[in-house]
Amino acid sequence: MKRYLIPLIVFVVLVGFLAVGLNLKPREVPSPLIDKPAPAFSLARLDAPEQKLGLEDLKGKVWLLNVWASWCVACRQEHPVLVDLARQNVVPIYGLNYKDKRDDALAWLGRYGNPYIASLSDSEGLVGIDYGVYGVPETFVVDKTGTIRLKHIGPVTPEALRDTILPLVRKLNG
Amino acid sequence: MVERLTRMLPALLLAGFLGMAAAQEAKPLAEDPMLEAKVMAIAEELRCLVCQNETIAASHADLAVDLRKQIRQKLQQGQTQAQILDFMVQRYGDFVLYRPPVKSSTWLLWGGPFLLLAVAVAALVLNIRRRRTLAAAPLKADEAERVRRLLAEEKSSS
């Protein structure tokens, strides 16, 4: 009996490691920017390119930064969720239009709805690099002091909104 | 004629593919090959976050192309490799480094193999010791009796 004990323990430990490994999401790399000041930017508005919008303009409120693009398939999946959220008026959503063509982006918003207070044109993707964006869509929660509090990688789902994003927004506003 | 053509077909196809490959690869590099070598050396140290098992040097992902451009620009501005790697880590975390730093969150990664080695060596030593004590243990009375009987049987049968 004792002879089988050690292989059994080794096997159980191995299974434990594999079980944890299977449940990890290697696509979701933790961002080093959490609880750090949001990188500064000053970008042209998508709807009015002659106007610039910067990080300083957004201080004093809790807001979401949603990175999107018209070429991004998963963005279409999350878009109705954002449109719905915008209707509820609980938190302002700003868009970072990442490596997109202006005409395509405007047409896309025209077709699927525009949940954004404003979208910013990051046509070169440089602000995206500053924010460590590696897979669109990504969504950041920024607090009143301009500190990044959360990064959601991939499409925003109703569950993610209900369980993490909105509770955090309420806490930061409260 | 047709037969000859079909026989040549693989060669023709191959020639076509080679032509295509060359056409894809012939993108003009930066004017300065020294700089380009440096860019690639740094890019080799960085993981592409889009296709996670490729370096930024090897990846064709859009982001990898952009990041190579960033590295090139920063080198042109006179930044060092350490500064550039730091720039990447600040944005993407330690995960971008193919050689993760030794710190509290990575000690298991670095120390794990040695830990396993230590366990294996300990098991080996224990095992050898146990065998030695087994061999050295004197026979009990009934065992000795059985040995004697078996040896006696063998003698009488031969």
Side-chain angles (χ1 to χ4, degrees):
Chain A
M1 192 57 221
K2 212 180 141 203
R3 205 145 62 100
Y4 298 111
L5 199 64
I6 290 174
L8 183 71
I9 291 172
V10 170
F11 178 72
V12 168
V13 168
L14 195 66
V15 167
F17 272 110
L18 291 176
V20 171
L22 277 175
N23 286 307
L24 289 177
K25 292 182 185 155
R27 285 257 129 223
E28 294 184 10
V29 181
S31 172
L33 291 167
I34 306 297
D35 292 330
K36 300 259 167 65
F41 60 82
S42 177
L43 288 172
R45 286 176 66 128
L46 181 69
D47 52 348
E50 66 287 350
Q51 282 181 44
K52 291 221 163 186
L53 193 72
L55 183 66
E56 290 303 315
D57 304 321
L58 301 170
K59 286 238 167 104
K61 59 182 169 187
V62 181
W63 54 287
L64 300 188
L65 180 70
N66 176 248
V67 186
W68 67 281
S70 66
W71 46 260
C72 152
V73 180
C75 296
R76 257 166 67 181
Q77 190 189 333
E78 74 166 3
H79 207 65
V81 179
L82 294 180
V83 172
D84 198 48
L85 176 65
R87 253 186 235 128
Q88 294 170 32
N89 238 340
V90 280
V91 59
I93 312 170
Y94 287 83
L96 185 71
N97 187 220
Y98 179 71
K99 299 195 77 172
D100 210 349
K101 291 199 189 85
R102 183 163 179 263
D103 293 343
D104 294 348
L106 287 173
W108 198 84
L109 287 182
R111 193 177 318 148
Y112 300 108
N114 184 357
Y116 307 111
I117 307 282
S119 272
L120 306 157
S121 300
D122 184 24
S123 46
E124 295 295 309
L126 292 179
V127 172
I129 289 177
D130 282 343
Y131 277 78
V133 171
Y134 64 88
V136 200
E138 289 182 10
T139 306
F140 297 84
V141 178
V142 185
D143 73 7
K144 289 176 183 168
T145 62
T147 305
I148 292 180
R149 291 311 186 107
L150 181 83
K151 179 186 187 183
H152 179 89
I153 296 160
V156 172
T157 57
E159 293 76 37
L161 263 187
R162 190 188 60 213
D163 298 338
T164 30
I165 298 176
L166 286 180
L168 178 66
V169 167
R170 272 194 288 273
K171 204 181 102 195
L172 294 175
N173 269 325
Chain B
M1 180 64 198
V2 174
E3 199 183 305
R4 246 177 94 187
L5 256 183
T6 45
R7 230 185 295 155
M8 276 167 69
L9 199 61
L12 282 173
L13 277 177
L14 187 64
F17 279 129
L18 284 177
M20 268 158 64
Q24 258 183 1
E25 246 163 73
K27 270 187 199 150
L29 290 171
E31 299 74 57
D32 184 352
M34 284 273 282
L35 175 71
E36 210 52 34
K38 251 186 184 167
V39 169
M40 282 320 211
I42 295 176
E44 290 279 358
E45 294 286 320
L46 295 168
R47 182 192 307 277
C48 175
L49 277 94
V50 182
C51 24
Q52 298 183 346
N53 285 327
E54 272 189 304
T55 63
I56 283 178
S59 177
H60 287 282
D62 227 23
L63 183 66
V65 177
D66 286 355
L67 290 179
R68 285 204 295 270
K69 204 157 79 186
Q70 285 282 312
I71 297 171
R72 192 174 300 123
Q73 276 173 9
K74 290 190 184 302
L75 281 173
Q76 279 165 341
Q77 288 162 12
Q79 292 197 13
T80 63
Q81 171 159 352
Q83 280 172 317
I84 294 172
L85 292 181
D86 200 44
F87 171 90
M88 298 295 175
V89 170
Q90 271 174 24
R91 281 155 183 76
Y92 300 102
D94 288 333
F95 188 74
V96 285
L97 298 177
Y98 260 105
R99 280 183 247 210
V102 183
K103 52 190 205 181
S104 60
S105 59
T106 57
W107 74 262
L108 196 62
L109 180 71
W110 285 99
F114 298 105
L115 207 69
L116 279 180
L117 185 70
V119 169
V121 167
L124 187 71
V125 167
L126 280 180
N127 206 325
I128 290 172
R129 271 203 198 150
R130 207 180 55 197
R131 279 190 196 191
R132 221 178 262 160
T133 50
L134 271 184
L139 295 177
K140 287 185 200 122
D142 56 331
E143 286 170 336
E145 173 57 33
R146 222 175 127 214
V147 168
R148 210 176 307 125
R149 219 179 33 235
L150 282 171
L151 283 174
E153 252 174 51
E154 196 164 311
K155 227 180 246 168
S156 62
S157 66
S158 64

